[in-house]
Amino acid sequence: VETMSNRKLRMIAEAFAVKGMALEKSPPKTTSKIKIAQMEEQIISCYEKSGDIALLYLQECEKGRSSSLSASSSSSAFAAAPSTYVGPLLETAIQRAPILHIQMGDLERGINRFRLVLRAVESRATQNMRMTLARQLAEVLLRGVCDSTYSPPQPPLGPDKSGSLSRPSAGGVIGTAIKVAGMKSANLALRPKQYIGEHLFVPKEVTEETLLLLLISESLATKEAILSRSEEHTKSRVYTLQNACAVYDLLTIALVKRAQYEMLSESFDRSMRFSFEEFHLWMQFALSLICAGKYQRALLVLRECHRMEPKNALVALHAAKLCFNHLQRMDEGIDWAKKVLELGDDSPYAHKGYQALGIGCSLKASEAPLQAERQELQKKALDAFMRAYSLDENNHEHLFYIGLQYALVRQISEAIGFVRKSLKLNDTHLESLHLLALLLSAQKKYQEALKVIEIALSGHPSNLSLLFTKVKLEEFVYDSEEALMTCKRMLELWKSTHESMLSNESSRGTGLLERVTSDKRSLAHIHLVEFSDRDSAAKYVQNPPKSSVHNSIAASRVEQALSEVASSIHSYTPRQGPQQAWLLQVQIWLTIAEIYLSMKKPDEATACIQEASSIFPLSHHVMFMRGLVHEYKHEFLEAKKFYSDAVSINPGHIKSLQHLGVILHDLGNSVLAEKVLRNAVNMDPTSHHAWNSLGKVLECQDEFDSASQCLLTAVELESTSPIIPFTAIPRLL
Amino acid sequence: MATMEQRMLQEWIAECKSLSRAELSSYGRMLKEQKEITEAIYGVFQQPDNELRDSICGQLFEFYRSGDSECRRFCLQYIPSILYYYLTPSNKNKSLDRLEALLLGIYNLDVVEVDGRQKVKTCIIPTLAKPSIYHEPVHLSSVALTESALSSHQKKETQLIKSGPFPQEKIITAQNRFSILSHVLYIYNTGIACMKGTSHEILCKMCSHLCTTGYTKQSLTPQTNGSLSTSTLSDSTSLLTNGYPEYQPRVHLSPEFMIEMLTGVYYVMFNGHQKSGREALENIHYVACQQLLSEVILVTSAIKNSLSSNPSGQPADG
């Protein structure tokens, strides 16, 4: 009996479908608009009826099969198989109705028809169609609906009237079919069963519904995808791949809008199974990984992309960017840049390639141990930036980098010329403004430098990097009290920007931050610095999320490791939160400590250092400041101990080396002092403090010739030295 | 502009000024019908200088502040024109105070609830591990036992995306400019389906314009017409400098702003503006590639790919 009714169902459904198609094919007899509209209405209702009955039929088939499967052997399943095939007739009927609605301009009804079909309990035969329908509805939602015109789907009716999902008696469930706006109430008895339950997820927002549909579609598409690469399957493989691709494109559009890069990269990860040699999917995967912050993996994927399309400049540029900005792989980055340049200067990305090359060389120069190599690299960098500029003259970045490169080799007036040009093109460019201020300070025009900083701060009021420079300048131009006021502002800023982070994790430090920021008095009255190093604060500041610390990356790893060791010893709580943010706070405290020290208030300075060390007990900056305090108090042995601790954490910390040299000299060990200082000037030949100390040490050893040379160098360098090193400005692609 | 339109606008502003708060909201419904006024206001933002610009900005803000949905819509339809004018580099040294005030006002009104609390919008990321009105988890369980499959099984709890709270801002600075503008454009996009064709067209033009100004590739995508004064201005200056191209400064857009632009353009290209929409898309793509903005490239290449080679619908429908 059941099969009979099933067959009947199918026949009725097909009859409606044929009728609909026939009506659609037949040309309109009248020109009357009303008549045509009626006609269209009739076509749709045929399709809708056909679709409903077809879905019901398929559900019945599925039920019949599962019961027969459990009851008898698998032979009956074999027999049932052909009947679950939907057939083009019914498939068209199901898919055509919503599209017709939309073509007639009735978006709302089209969407609701889509929903109705999708809400029907699925059967094996409809899976393929579901995937398409879900994608189509998602498309409509993405392309035709905005938040203000969206109306969410109705929640399913409560289970009180309906039977449970597992035991749907045809009549009972159908009776409760959801009334959707625009549906004809005729033929209620022949409606497919719908998903029903108390805890069903009902989307309330356009994004939610779109994502849900796309996720369903994605999951079906990945399941469908044909992996076999044999000849005979090529056609269907390409077809399924294109389907999946379409879903992924929509998913990208929907997820990027909400900045859900993590989820997007996971989705692409799943697609990799079937996207062998598919450049588009691989590239999208790489980009989503970059956005999600998984740089290491992104680089691997980009390498694969490059293998597929070696002539694609974008791939190489993205890889170079990763190498420089995130992974500290200068050599590989330079190689990538060269790959871009191999494509010739006509490529629209050639200027970018030169820029990448320049940045790579410049960064490498800062780390190069040998003077000759360093000069070579610096020259290369400048040439590359110049080429970049000649290819793209309207780009302020190229001008800025030429300026920065000149600044690094201390050609101050040339540098100023280029920076000014850069600012002409983009007068709000933060780095250019900062560089201009440093250049002015190198010319000892502190007032003007401070003015530039003020201008920059009016555009970027909460930029801590600028504030660090401002503190330094204020100490010079005004007095320490003014500088301390700025420091307090920085603490407040830090607190307000990282407040949310603070609430999420147990806070670190002793709470001095809260006490200071809540105190109305100036810091100078409450009582509590230096931060100028090659590898210090400004870099952390500029881009807290991107670690742009190049030459102390190893050091900060060591520090992190050591801090973790320390945390297991003391009751010190390790932090999971963004390392960089905490580092910033440390830098602020140390800056304050240094100002106090210059005000001859060692106790306040010690308090600040204490605070900093409670956050990062084993930072070389903290060690160095402790050393300074001891040196101030003439406790040379302790100072020596702290300086050498700092150096052992970060052997490239010039300030520590320089002070260590001085202390060693004071303690009478001139030979070692000389060695340490020579080491320092070798690492940073632009540090006039180090040259100066070296000169003095040599002088005491009666090597007057070399001593005078050193001192001369120191004087020369001092005349072009900025208030904080130029390397504080990040070089990022 | 003909003085007649000018006079018409003056009268209109005077009329609006005379309305009381309560009348204003009923006035909203009438606004839709006033085609001439609507067009005239578009015209004001296309001219480099128009003495009525400031008072129109003031009036538009009054409409927005009234809270009436029709009034708001009337104001919002000019967002593309306003952003166009505001971000064009050659307009930089003109007084943009009222324009900024309008943009800032729209932003500030939107980031707080009516009672003054900071607004936080949430949105659920659905998970397939939980049944929904469209599926049952059993049928969709992944075949492969992968790490991500396992983790998605674990987090049966639905994830929330939060947007906000956004801070209220007192002034627009270089630092916060684009986060404010992105938010304003986001507000526009949430109601984009209610906007008229003119507004959509200008949105595309704005995107193309902002992404081509200052780029030499400009010549590849010819400006559709010279109706917008900025392009004619640049032509004349380049003539003055004897053949040496005097570059216009580029507009430095933020990635988040570009993504909002794309959201709008994507909608518009499927709703009657296929050609200018595609043009805008190409221009945004070009700039994103030049600056290696990975998040923007993700979207542009997804859209481009879905337009070029796949079974999904084309801009013709929808």
Side-chain angles (χ1 to χ4, degrees), chain A residues 73-107:
Chain A
S73 67
S74 58
S75 61
S76 62
F78 186 72
S83 71
T84 55
Y85 172 62
V86 197
L89 212 56
L90 295 182
E91 214 166 295
T92 321
I94 295 172
Q95 297 193 359
R96 194 92 185 113
I99 293 173
L100 278 179
H101 273 306
I102 290 168
Q103 274 176 2
M104 283 166 62
D106 199 340
L107 204 61

Side-chain angles (χ1 to χ4, degrees), chain A residues 54 150 227 268 277 337 573 621 723:
Chain A
Y150 173 78
L227 301 179
F268 275 117
E277 295 288 308
T573 33
H621 298 293
I723 194 139

Side-chain angles (χ1 to χ4, degrees), chain A residues 385-564:
Chain A
F385 288 136
M386 286 290 193
R387 284 298 292 277
Y389 173 57
S390 70
L391 288 171
D392 186 16
E393 291 185 351
N394 198 16
N395 194 332
H396 68 278
E397 279 179 25
H398 300 326
L399 289 163
F400 160 71
Y401 277 117
I402 296 174
L404 181 57
Q405 198 53 43
Y406 270 126
L408 287 171
V409 294
R410 297 288 172 92
Q411 287 177 285
I412 305 298
S413 51
E414 283 91 344
I416 288 189
F418 278 99
V419 172
R420 283 197 194 280
K421 273 194 203 166
S422 153
L423 284 170
K424 216 172 153 191
L425 288 179
N426 183 0
D427 58 2
T428 54
H429 189 232
L430 174 68
E431 282 81 16
S432 291
L433 284 167
H434 199 171
L435 179 58
L436 182 60
L438 292 187
L439 285 167
L440 289 170
S441 80
Q443 290 185 330
K444 315 300 168 211
K445 297 176 184 165
Y446 295 113
Q447 290 278 3
E448 285 170 52
L450 195 56
K451 227 177 262 170
V452 172
I453 288 285
E454 296 282 359
I455 292 170
L457 275 172
S458 72
H460 306 265
S462 56
N463 187 292
L464 286 171
S465 175
L466 288 174
L467 285 167
F468 274 122
T469 309
K470 190 181 175 205
V471 169
K472 278 282 162 192
L473 284 168
E474 278 174 340
E475 232 189 322
F476 245 92
V477 177
Y478 305 114
D479 53 9
S480 309
E481 280 205 26
E482 196 80 19
L484 283 177
M485 298 266 279
T486 311
C487 286
K488 191 171 173 191
R489 219 182 111 208
M490 286 162 78
L491 285 177
E492 284 161 358
L493 255 175
W494 189 93
K495 195 165 168 249
S496 65
T497 40
H498 299 289
E499 197 117 52
S500 54
M501 187 186 85
L502 284 173
S503 61
N504 288 343
E505 64 177 301
S506 54
S507 68
R508 287 195 269 170
T510 60
L512 193 59
L513 177 72
E514 277 72 20
R515 268 176 277 144
V516 169
T517 46
S518 60
D519 202 310
K520 290 278 182 287
R521 286 172 301 167
S522 144
L523 267 178
H525 298 108
I526 316 172
H527 292 302
L528 288 202
V529 206
E530 151 138 278
F531 94 107
S532 68
D533 274 41
R534 287 155 61 89
D535 48 0
S536 62
K539 286 185 182 173
Y540 300 112
V541 179
Q542 291 279 358
N543 272 299
K546 307 173 197 164
S547 133
S548 53
V549 198
H550 296 298
N551 44 7
S552 70
I553 190 81
S556 66
R557 276 194 198 138
V558 171
E559 278 164 20
Q560 201 175 335
L562 288 176
S563 297
E564 262 144 35

Side-chain angles (χ1 to χ4, degrees), chain A residues 168-195:
Chain A
S169 62
V173 181
I174 291 161
T176 67
I178 290 99
K179 280 205 186 72
V180 177
M183 275 301 301
K184 297 268 173 304
S185 52
N187 254 338
L188 259 188
L190 290 175
R191 284 288 187 72
K193 298 183 295 283
Q194 310 227 330
Y195 288 117

Side-chain angles (χ1 to χ4, degrees), chain A residues 92 111 131 144 242 339 398 569 625 640 657 690 710:
Chain A
T92 321
I111 291 174
M131 182 183 80
Q242 278 185 346
K339 277 176 190 148
H398 300 326
I569 300 168
M625 273 312 297
K640 183 189 145 205
L657 282 173
C710 289

